[in-house]
Structure formats: structure tokens, C-alpha cells
Amino acid sequence: MINTEHANFPRASFTRRCGAMIYDGLLAVAVYMVAGAVGFGLFLGLTSTGVIAMNGHEHVSDLLNQTPLYQGVYQLWLVMCVVAFYALFWSRGGQTLGMRAWRLKVQHPNGQNLSFITAVARVVWSFAGVSNLFILINPDKLALQDKMTRSEVVVLSVEANQMRNWHGA
């Protein structure tokens, strides 16, 4: 969905992005913890029912941590959940909760929301937020993930940030 009203807002500064990253980092840790509990619960259920054999391990956590296949699948699950957290928020309304608090929105320069695939690519290119340092040397206030996904992070007005329609706000 294109919202041309949002196409003319100024790009966000490095400091403002860092503020939102701190908020969102705390939320990402919470998502990681919940995903970890769900993943471990599923693994525990699979071992309890005998679908996965204990193979001589005394504790389920030992089996999970000492078996490369299980550990790899578990870590992939955790990463996918955190990536999905960002990608869903960015593709649905352009804002995570931290971005909403700092009145930031990620979008294409014409005001269009990102697709889910573009949002996932943005997460990958962000390198856990490190690529935001690129803003410090870029006069256009574009981070690496902005350039690679043809997107931008803008500062919304108070009125624009109050919109409740997350599908096109």
C-alpha cells in the first residue's frame, strides 16, 4: 500500500535509530526467550513421546546441546523467530514498537510499505544493527540495509504516528 503523505517525511538520524534499536532489542530478547521456551517444550515433548531417542543422554538439554543436528535446528528456529518479529512489523505497518515510540517508520521512498521478503532482506542486511553506522558517513542518512533494499527510515509527525491502521499507516 502506498501512502504518499509519508513519502515527504525527513530521514531518521543515527541517534534516533539507536534509541529505537534499544527498545526493539529488549523486545527481540523477549521474542528470543519465548521462542526458546516453545522450541524446548516441543523438543521435550518429542523426547517424552519417544519420537526422539535420548541416545544415552541423561537430560533433554544435554541431548539438545550436544547433538549438532538438534542444536542447529533449535538455533535456526530462534533466529527465524527474531527475523519474523522484525519482518512482520516492518511489512505490516512499517513500525516496530520501538520505532513507534521514536516516531520512525521504514518504507520505500514513495511511501509504500515493504513486502515481507524485502523486510526479511532488510533484517539480513542490517547485521544486527551494525550497518546503521553507515549513516555516519552517508550524507543522505541511509544505512546499508536502506541502500540494499531501496528503503528508508523516516521520522513521522506526531499526527502521522497516531494513525492506528498498521496495514498502511
Side-chain angles (χ1 to χ4, degrees), residues 24-51:
D24 288 334
L26 295 172
L27 290 169
V29 167
V31 168
Y32 184 87
M33 291 171 62
V34 169
V38 168
F40 187 78
L42 289 171
F43 190 74
L44 180 63
L46 291 172
T47 56
S48 298
T49 58
V51 174

Side-chain angles (χ1 to χ4, degrees), residues 71-152:
Q71 186 180 28
V73 169
Y74 183 68
Q75 292 301 321
L76 180 64
W77 161 255
L78 296 175
V79 168
M80 285 176 37
C81 287
V82 173
V83 167
F85 161 75
Y86 284 105
L88 284 170
F89 274 95
W90 287 344
S91 63
R92 300 287 288 177
Q95 293 178 299
T96 57
L97 296 175
M99 292 174 78
R100 190 159 179 84
W102 284 84
R103 295 191 348 245
L104 301 179
K105 181 182 179 195
V106 63
Q107 63 185 15
H108 289 293
N110 65 359
Q112 180 181 3
N113 284 338
L114 305 182
S115 70
F116 183 78
I117 299 300
T118 302
V120 169
R122 186 178 169 78
V123 174
V124 171
W125 281 109
S126 73
F127 301 114
V130 174
S131 65
N132 280 317
L133 293 172
F134 195 69
I135 296 169
L136 299 173
I137 60 171
N138 186 314
D140 294 327
K141 292 185 181 176
L142 292 173
L144 180 62
Q145 66 267 26
D146 298 332
K147 288 180 122 352
M148 298 308 291
T149 59
R150 294 185 179 101
S151 61
E152 64 182 0

Side-chain angles (χ1 to χ4, degrees), residues 4-68:
T4 55
E5 293 175 19
H6 292 176
N8 297 319
F9 284 113
R11 290 190 178 138
S13 68
F14 176 75
T15 306
R16 201 167 190 99
R17 286 182 186 223
C18 285
M21 280 182 8
I22 291 169
Y23 280 48
D24 288 334
L26 295 172
L27 290 169
V29 167
V31 168
Y32 184 87
M33 291 171 62
V34 169
V38 168
F40 187 78
L42 289 171
F43 190 74
L44 180 63
L46 291 172
T47 56
S48 298
T49 58
V51 174
I52 295 176
M54 289 296 289
N55 294 335
H57 290 90
E58 187 176 344
H59 300 286
V60 174
S61 61
D62 292 338
L63 176 65
L64 179 62
N65 290 318
Q66 295 173 6
T67 308

